[in-house]
Amino acid sequence: MKPRTTIRDVARKAGVSVGTVSRVVNGHPSVTEAKKRAVLQVIAELGFRPDAAAQSLRRGTNRTLGVVIPDLRNPFFAELMQHIELRAKERGYSVLFASSDEQADSEAELIANLARRKVEGVVLVPSNRAERIANPDGVRLVVVDRRIAGHPFVAADHRAGARMAAEYLVSLGHRRIACLSGPENSFVARERLAGFMDVMAPRLAEAGLDPASCIISAPFDYEGGREAAKALLADDGPRPTAVFACSDQQAIGVLRTAFDRRITVPDRLSVVGFDDILISDLVAPRLTTAAQPLAAIANCATDLLIGGEPLDAAASHIFPCAMVLRETCAPPL
């Protein structure tokens, strides 16, 4: 049986110290690019694989990241978890997932449990009710999607994305545009509603209309969109010619209600969502939406945790959204 290649074998062949090889393996920035390339080439030639158990003992961790999300049933968070896991694997890490079930009280307990498992850091999507994060163990923490003061924050620009969606509907000629907002206690919902109102408030004031007349608050899920659309699309008054839903799930619920009421999309109703979850490209008609760069957000949050630099609010990153034009929008008849 061929003896296992050791770190000393790599150091000897590369002509460097064992410490240099260790720093290369652990991604330490102090190694020059030339030495790094030489060491990595020898590692590939010899088929060297670091002893993960030994590394964990030295570091006091196990090359594992934690991820806490508020709702396992939400496809947006499922896709976020997938992207985080893919990035973590690229960096040689595994991932532990947990759900707070939108309960702010359970987040601290979940973070503490992950700390006991020696994770190197936690990506947290806070619950809608969370105003602060209890982190007595000082775990490295990156907040995603929903801002919490004092912590590094990685997210899409929710307000600018919603503004873009409203401007697109206006550019098509729509004037009666309704907004299906999210829960009132949600940071994301407030930001997206603010973006919508950036565009619509001057137009509503000019027409002498109350902004509240075109806004309905509902849960971010399919059923929330479906039920809210029943009021928006009622027969007892002028209906909107377009709806901006603050999540794709809501938008798909609107499409279902429109179908049930024989309101054709996009001929008699245009619909725009927000997020660009995978199912948005599978429904019929295919949903136009303001897309979050989910892979970029997940990669950034993961890299921040692994990077080793101090984590504070200054490490925040905001990514632009982009309109994905599909089949649910057209000029009003």
Side-chain angles (χ1 to χ4, degrees), residues 126-299:
S127 66
N128 283 323
R129 295 180 179 85
E131 296 179 355
R132 64 182 185 86
I133 300 169
N135 184 15
D137 296 305
V139 176
R140 286 177 64 81
L141 197 66
V142 174
V143 175
V144 169
D145 196 48
R146 306 171 180 180
R147 187 189 298 273
I148 298 290
H151 293 277
F153 172 65
V154 182
D157 191 333
H158 300 291
R159 184 166 185 162
R163 190 184 304 127
M164 191 185 309
E167 287 172 344
Y168 174 66
L169 290 171
V170 169
S171 74
L172 291 175
H174 291 282
R175 296 297 177 265
R176 296 200 310 274
I177 305 172
C179 177
L180 185 46
S181 185
E184 293 178 358
N185 62 353
S186 165
F187 165 82
V188 169
R190 292 194 299 270
E191 285 291 292
R192 294 178 187 176
L193 177 58
F196 174 80
M197 292 307 297
D198 287 343
V199 176
M200 294 304 299
R203 292 173 170 82
L204 292 170
E206 184 178 336
L209 297 175
D210 179 3
S213 65
C214 67
I215 300 168
I216 292 184
S217 179
F220 272 136
D221 56 22
Y222 302 111
E223 195 58 32
R226 187 174 181 175
E227 288 300 314
K230 290 178 181 178
L232 284 174
L233 304 179
D235 295 325
D236 56 356
R239 292 198 300 253
T241 62
V243 174
F244 166 57
C246 284
S247 79
D248 285 348
Q249 290 189 85
Q250 290 175 326
I252 293 169
V254 173
L255 294 180
R256 179 68 216 194
T257 295
F259 176 83
D260 290 343
R261 299 205 169 178
R262 294 178 173 79
I263 300 171
T264 55
V265 175
D267 297 333
R268 295 174 58 201
L269 180 71
S270 289
V271 181
V272 175
F274 198 114
D275 288 331
D276 195 30
I277 57 177
L278 290 174
I279 197 172
S280 300
D281 196 35
L282 302 176
V283 295
R286 296 161 62 237
L287 180 65
T288 291
T289 185
Q292 296 199 54
L294 200 50
I297 291 168
N299 291 350

